[in-house]
Amino acid sequence: MVDTVAAPNWRAWQQSWDRQQEWYLPDREERFRVMLDAVEALVGPEPKILDLACGTGSITDRAVRRFPRAASTGVDLDPALLTIARGHFAADHRVRFITADLRDPNWTAELPHRSYDAVLTATALHWLDSDALRVLYGQLAGVVRDGGVFLNADHMPGEGTPRIDAGVRAFEDARRERAKAEGAVDWAEWWQAAAGDPVLGAPVAERFKIFGNPADGPDHASGVAEAFQPVGWHADTLREVGFGEARAVWCSPSDAMVLALK
């Protein structure tokens, strides 16, 4: 008898990733909605999308369901999350995924298209320091077509509001503790579950070699960084590197979304 391993339920893995992310970001779906509203408003309902630092393809998943004639290229370095994304979208001809390191100066050479209508990313670029992010923004100015858009929703703190920030942190910490008591899965627990899957185990091990094991402490993909820049810095930098207009289009007490129009 030949031992066989059942194929994972890729949709279930993608959904479990979403739930884990929502433990940290309860307004995650709202920022996706605002992001896609902006795409439709500025480039129309048939966008060619670059899903930057795409993870399991959360943005792509929502984009192709909202825009049936859209096409999306997902880019990430994480072999485990890309395995889930590729598995989930295996039968969807509108979607493809590329393995690339955004810190590599030549990463855009891996893209199947020279330009895109919309480059979208959420809660992913905060692990780049300011200098690296400025370089990446300059590269994206060459990827977004004239009239196209770039949207980044991420941790972008306010300035000069320490009491507000402290109150928000305390509120969010208490909310997460309540959700944890009700069974919510956090970042490290999710990765340990993925590591135990018979199919995901190998790409997760490869992922741990690149980013570290979350059980050993925070890594740069976990939402922890040394510093975050306020939304004004992002807008100013995007204009400096070649975008015509840029400003905040959404915010929460701790996060914001910047929209840049080429």
Side-chain angles (χ1 to χ4, degrees):
M1 180 180 294
V2 177
D3 292 334
T4 59
V5 176
N9 183 334
W10 298 118
R11 180 61 173 171
W13 273 110
Q14 188 186 64
Q15 290 174 337
S16 73
W17 173 262
D18 285 343
R19 301 296 85 75
Q20 175 259 127
Q21 290 288 286
E22 287 166 3
W23 185 68
Y24 297 96
L25 306 166
D27 50 22
R28 190 166 177 259
E29 289 300 327
E30 180 184 353
R31 67 187 71 193
F32 289 154
R33 178 190 61 79
V34 173
M35 179 179 285
L36 296 181
D37 282 351
V39 169
E40 185 169 3
L42 292 168
V43 301
E46 300 181 16
K48 185 193 303 177
I49 294 169
L50 177 60
D51 186 353
L52 199 66
C54 63
T56 65
S58 296
I59 291 175
T60 291
D61 183 60
R62 287 148 182 82
V64 297
R65 282 191 279 123
R66 173 161 172 171
F67 307 127
R69 296 179 65 85
S72 182
T73 303
V75 175
D76 208 298
L77 182 61
D78 191 313
L81 298 185
L82 282 173
T83 296
I84 295 171
R86 288 175 172 133
H88 175 58
F89 290 98
D92 194 330
H93 68 279
R94 300 169 297 175
V95 179
R96 63 184 300 179
F97 293 96
I98 304 296
T99 300
D101 187 343
L102 298 181
R103 296 164 297 185
D104 182 341
N106 299 312
W107 73 269
T108 59
E110 303 296 326
L111 299 176
H113 305 291
R114 295 185 62 182
S115 65
Y116 288 82
D117 301 313
V119 177
L120 311 177
T121 188
T123 327
L125 301 186
H126 51 259
W127 49 267
L128 293 174
D129 63 30
S130 299
D131 291 339
L133 188 54
R134 184 185 298 274
V135 169
L136 178 63
Y137 280 175
Q139 293 172 315
L140 295 178
V143 171
V144 176
R145 68 162 172 83
D146 288 344
V149 296
F150 167 65
L151 287 121
N152 179 16
D154 210 338
H155 308 311
M156 299 180 189
E159 298 178 275
T161 57
R163 289 183 295 164
I164 294 174
D165 296 344
V168 169
R169 281 195 300 271
F171 175 82
E172 288 299 325
D173 287 345
R175 178 191 61 78
R176 281 192 288 269
E177 285 299 318
R178 291 193 300 270
K180 199 76 168 61
E182 295 171 359
V185 173
D186 66 18
W187 173 263
E189 291 169 332
W190 189 91
W191 279 108
Q192 294 314 303
D197 183 88
V199 176
L200 276 178
V204 169
E206 184 181 351
R207 190 257 182 213
F208 287 172
K209 291 179 182 178
I210 298 171
F211 299 113
N213 187 331
D216 299 330
D219 62 36
H220 76 209
S222 67
V224 178
E226 293 182 359
F228 300 120
Q229 294 290 357
V231 67
W233 179 91
H234 292 270
D236 291 344
T237 301
L238 286 162
R239 287 190 293 267
E240 290 168 6
V241 300
F243 286 89
E245 301 176 12
R247 67 173 177 86
V249 291
W250 175 89
C251 71
S252 73
S254 59
D255 291 9
M257 185 187 311
V258 64
L259 165 62
L261 179 68
K262 183 70 181 295

